Amino acid sequence: YGSYALAEGADPKTAKVGGADNEVKVDFIYEPPQAGDETRFELLDTDEAAAELERVEALAGMLGVRRVGLVFSHPPREAGFQFSGEEVITAGELQLEAAEGVEDTPFVTVKATVNDEGGTVFDAFQVRRVLGGGAGRWRRFDDDI
């Protein structure tokens, strides 16, 4: 949770609040209830989890901050492997919620892991609208299954 700030060099006359000309400032991280193992995670969709998120969102509103990203971790993976399909879908859905629809947003997805030497590695990404067709429609990959 945090805020968006106008990026250095962005034109304040044409920049949109929450748009691509913004930077993300993170004030705190909330970890929702989830289940998982060394290969995957799933955010829990229970009444308890929904009530907890509602309390967090209310507190964030009182503090003047909003959801600006997703952080997840995983054990080391094979070289070149960035995200599983489920991770991309989760990031895209949370970005849609944060943008309140298919809008440009600096919503950030950060993955944390360890390298071969045991050092911590953080990489930041953004899910782009092109994954959803770019025409205002997002589709889950499993809709036709």
Side-chain angles (χ1 to χ4, degrees):
Y1 284 80
S3 59
Y4 300 133
L6 196 59
E8 189 175 320
D11 183 352
K13 294 177 185 164
T14 59
K16 293 182 353 183
V17 174
D21 292 328
N22 288 221
E23 296 176 335
V24 176
K25 177 186 177 216
V26 177
D27 293 306
F28 67 89
I29 296 172
Y30 161 67
E31 184 174 359
Q34 57 199 278
D37 57 31
E38 65 276 354
T39 61
R40 61 185 297 266
F41 70 94
E42 177 182 358
L43 300 177
L44 298 183
D45 187 16
T46 64
D47 290 341
E48 274 183 16
E52 181 177 296
L53 180 58
E54 191 173 303
R55 289 190 301 273
V56 169
E57 290 286 337
L59 178 60
M62 288 183 249
L63 295 170
V65 297
R66 61 189 287 182
R67 191 181 312 182
V68 294
L70 161 71
V71 177
F72 73 95
S73 63
H74 61 79
R77 296 173 170 165
E78 62 271 14
F81 184 90
Q82 296 296 335
F83 290 93
S84 70
E86 283 183 69
E87 292 162 354
V88 171
I89 289 169
T90 299
E93 288 176 342
L94 291 174
Q95 184 166 326
L96 280 171
E97 288 175 21
E100 298 177 353
V102 181
E103 297 294 332
D104 288 332
T105 173
F107 187 92
V108 176
T109 299
V110 176
K111 67 179 191 126
T113 190
V114 295
N115 60 23
D116 293 337
E117 294 79 40
T120 306
V121 178
F122 293 93
D123 290 310
F125 299 85
Q126 287 185 302
V127 176
R128 308 301 277 181
R129 287 193 304 164
V130 70
L131 287 176
R137 275 190 32 199
W138 280 74
R139 278 186 49 181
R140 288 184 59 110
F141 297 114
D142 58 356
D143 279 351
D144 297 327
I145 298 176

